Structure formats: C-alpha cells, structure tokens
Amino acid sequence: IFAVQDDIAQSVVTQLRGALFGLETDSARRRSSSPDAHRLLLKAQFLKSRGSESDRLHAIDLLREALSIDPRFALAWAALSRVLSMAAALGDIDVEESAREAKDCATRALLLEPDLVEGHVALAFYQLFFGWDWLGAEQSVTRALAIAPDDFEATTAACQLYFQTRRLDQAVQFAG
C-alpha cells in the first residue's frame, strides 16, 4: 500500500513539475496515455507468463500493436524485447533477426526511460543469450538491481547471469 502511495505521490509531483515548468514527464515515456496501448501491454504480459509458443507469438503481436498506438511507451518496448528474446531462445522465431530486434527494443526503452528496470533487464537478457557480453550483462543487471533491488525480473536476471558465468554462490543468493 505504501509503495502504491509513493508511486502516486511521485506521479503527481512529476506531472506538476511538467505542467509548471513545461518539462516532459517521465511517466509520459514509461506509461502510455492510451488506455488501449496499456491494455494490450497487460494482455501481452499475461500471455507471456502462460508460456506456450502460441501465447508468446500472440504477445509479440499485441506489443507491436500497442507500440503502433504509442511509440513512446517505454514499458512496452522493454516487454517486446523480453518476449522476443524468450521466443528466440526457445526456437519459436528466427534467432538472428529476433535477437537484433530485441536489442533494438531494449535500447529504445532505455532511451525513452533511462531508469526503467524492465529496460535494463531486457538488455541484460539480450546480452546474456545473444550478445555473449558478460560484462555488459553484469552492468545492466547491476543497474536494474540498484534501481529496484527486490524486483522479480531483476533478481531473475542476476541469478541467470551468475549461473551462466559459473558464479554459483552468487546465483544461489538470487535464486531464493
């Protein structure tokens, strides 16, 4: 409840700052002003979590549709990156093309919202599974954890990173 209250208070302050000083707000980039784009994101996240190939492919389509409605929706760019990475890693779609698109989507999310945890996580998964950039992945995971140390996706990325790099003692810390 307190986290929700803090989020609402921060949103109000950010919106007021934007209105008073004419600044673009962070929430304008992270959250969509379009209810349809937001609904598509939520539906895609649900489908991704179900785990079937057809659900992942449908989630990709929904996220692309959300981004056609609101191309500045950073959270949707990060979500598309994650689903593309997952689908490519599981053999649902072409690996080379999808990996490149996953990287582009994660990068775009972070350009829109540099402190977006989901963007750093998406980039870390690309770096781990397709870029084989262990140092870059560690930097992305470290940044995500610095922003949100208890975030499920960030801790999952940390566990995966440490497992992949054979630092099992560190992986176990995040696996619990």
Side-chain angles (χ1 to χ4, degrees):
I1 293 174
F2 295 118
V4 171
Q5 287 176 336
D6 287 345
D7 189 39
I8 292 169
Q10 184 61 41
S11 292
V12 169
V13 168
T14 302
Q15 294 295 329
L16 284 173
R17 184 179 299 137
L20 293 173
F21 300 111
L23 302 173
E24 182 176 288
T25 63
D26 290 343
S27 63
R29 294 182 303 237
R30 180 184 169 131
R31 296 184 183 109
S32 179
S33 59
S34 166
D36 290 334
H38 186 71
R39 180 184 51 77
L40 290 166
L41 168 74
L42 293 176
K43 188 171 181 181
Q45 289 174 326
F46 169 74
L47 289 170
K48 177 189 130 201
S49 70
R50 288 197 346 192
S52 75
E53 178 181 348
S54 62
D55 286 334
R56 285 187 294 276
L57 296 177
H58 189 65
I60 290 168
D61 290 339
L62 292 174
L63 289 165
R64 286 184 174 146
E65 185 179 345
L67 289 165
S68 72
I69 295 168
D70 184 357
R72 297 187 45 77
F73 193 5
L75 198 54
W77 284 111
L80 180 56
S81 175
R82 286 284 285 122
V83 177
L84 286 166
S85 290
M86 184 182 291
L90 294 170
D92 301 338
I93 54 180
D94 178 71
V95 173
E96 188 174 324
E97 182 180 324
S98 300
R100 189 172 31 256
E101 186 179 357
K103 179 184 179 188
D104 292 344
C105 291
T107 301
R108 193 155 191 186
L110 291 171
L111 285 172
L112 290 167
E113 181 59 49
D115 290 330
L116 183 67
V117 172
E118 296 87 347
H120 290 284
V121 168
L123 185 57
F125 275 101
Y126 163 79
Q127 291 163 322
L128 276 174
F129 293 109
F130 305 107
W132 301 289
D133 176 7
W134 312 124
L135 180 59
E138 187 157 7
Q139 290 170 344
S140 295
V141 166
T142 299
R143 182 69 183 124
L145 289 171
I147 296 166
D150 296 325
D151 182 80
F152 175 76
E153 293 287 331
T155 56
T156 299
C159 183
Q160 190 68 45
L161 167 72
Y162 296 130
F163 179 77
Q164 292 286 95
T165 57
R166 304 292 186 247
R167 294 181 277 174
L168 302 181
D169 289 343
Q170 288 175 287
V172 169
Q173 292 175 1
F174 290 98

